[in-house]
Amino acid sequence: MKFVHMLARPTIFICVMLPGILCAEEVQLTLVQAVRMAVEKNLDLQIERYTPAQQEAEHRKSKGIYNPALSLQTQYNDISSYSVSFEQNNAQLDATLSQLLPSGGTISLGFENSFADQAGTASYWQSTLGLSLVQPLLKNFGRETTELLITSARLGKEASLEALQAKVNSTVAIVRDEYFKLYSLREELEVRKTSLDAARRVLKDTQARVAVGTLPAMEILNAEFGVAGREKELIDAERALRDQQDLFAQLLQLPPGTAIVGIDEPSHNRYDVSEQEEIKRAFLLRPELKELRVNRDLLELQARVAANRTRPDLQLSGSVATSGLGDGYSRDMDRLSSGKYPIWAVGLGLTYPLGNHAAENDYRKSRLKANQIALQIRNQEELIANAVRSAVRAIETNYKQLEVTDRGRRFAEERLRAWSRKVDVGLATTKELLDVENDLAVAKNNQIKAHVAYANAVTLLWKTTGQLLEQQLIQLNIAASDALYRETR
């Protein structure tokens, strides 16, 4: 899948050691680079881009109704009759070129040649060059009816492109969420490492104090228990990070086992939104809504054509020709080209179905489908409006959580310093100090999760309003599907 993008993609590869893995290839990626890799390599998107290419083939196929048709016919007859002692040889060679008109009529240019040889009498050539027209005046009249398949194929391609954009929009949202989750798990791993280091320092200090008799030996067990708990949490954090790296590598189609490092942090900047403006933007940009509108246009077209086909079939036919006749072919052609022997005809034909139940019920069915999709669009708009309102509230709520978790971390750090001083003077136990240190680790993780939740809330709003690709500087390249059509042999 080709997309227009504003930034290049430098990638850094190094070898790092991870528990349980001898050597893993590490890839450092910005968020923009990760998104670009996903939209270019993701297999779901590669599969989806074949649909517009198929619709392009259908569109070009439908235009074939305007391809001129050349018809050639030749025939030879040898007739002998014993009863009347009659012998005759006939030869005929005809050519016709016909063309469908946008009005629904068919115009034809015909050239007929015939030769007759009757034994005992004479032989002669007879030729006719003529132009004829058959034009419906009621049923099947007009460009809209004639080009129903062409317009349907064009709208089908537009709908498939909107479906592809919706798929890309969803994929980009997933990449952003998973990228920030990867960042969150890596930061949480660092928090676990710091917490383990702090627990080991407490254990070492406790052992020293027990050795000099200022603390009872029981405190060593409390410290060792704290270290063991933090070691388990570190192991769990390492596994969660590796699982997330595998999932993200599959999303970006990177080799299994690739250790991905996200360079970008979630933005903490306040994102000001207006609920009504975001709803208007969503109604304008959401690809799912645009796809429904394209399908509505298609069903409205089909209803109009079905209404046309309930009319009587009144056809105008006309022709004009010049003819020739001669005992030789040259004489025949001279008379044909002279125009002295014109032939013309004009006529009307009417076919009026009695009852016409089939056409009338085709129209009713088409109209019902059009009315149905109009309600689907209204329902989709209401769902989108509710989703936008929820996304706006999520941004406001998660932004408030940023300040709360920042304060929580500062308070936890102050508490740890206060309890460390209390331990130094013997006013607190080792277990109490480890509990306070664990509270700090929880506060740090809460802060990390709040930052990620705020970034995910912004992503959700962009996805819900249909502006995510624009925000990520990604533009769907429509020509790519046409290129795929041309490359297929």
Side-chain angles (χ1 to χ4, degrees), residues 100 402 419:
L100 178 67
L402 293 179
W419 280 91

Side-chain angles (χ1 to χ4, degrees), residues 169 282 286 384 387-389 391 459-467:
N169 198 49
R286 275 290 290 267
I384 288 174
V388 170
R389 284 190 282 267
T459 300
L460 178 62
L461 177 67
W462 288 349
K463 178 185 176 184
T464 304
T465 56
Q467 59 177 314

Side-chain angles (χ1 to χ4, degrees), residues 8 19 38 124 147 173 237 240 349 444-445 453:
Y124 60 90
E147 297 184 351
K444 288 179 179 179
N445 285 335

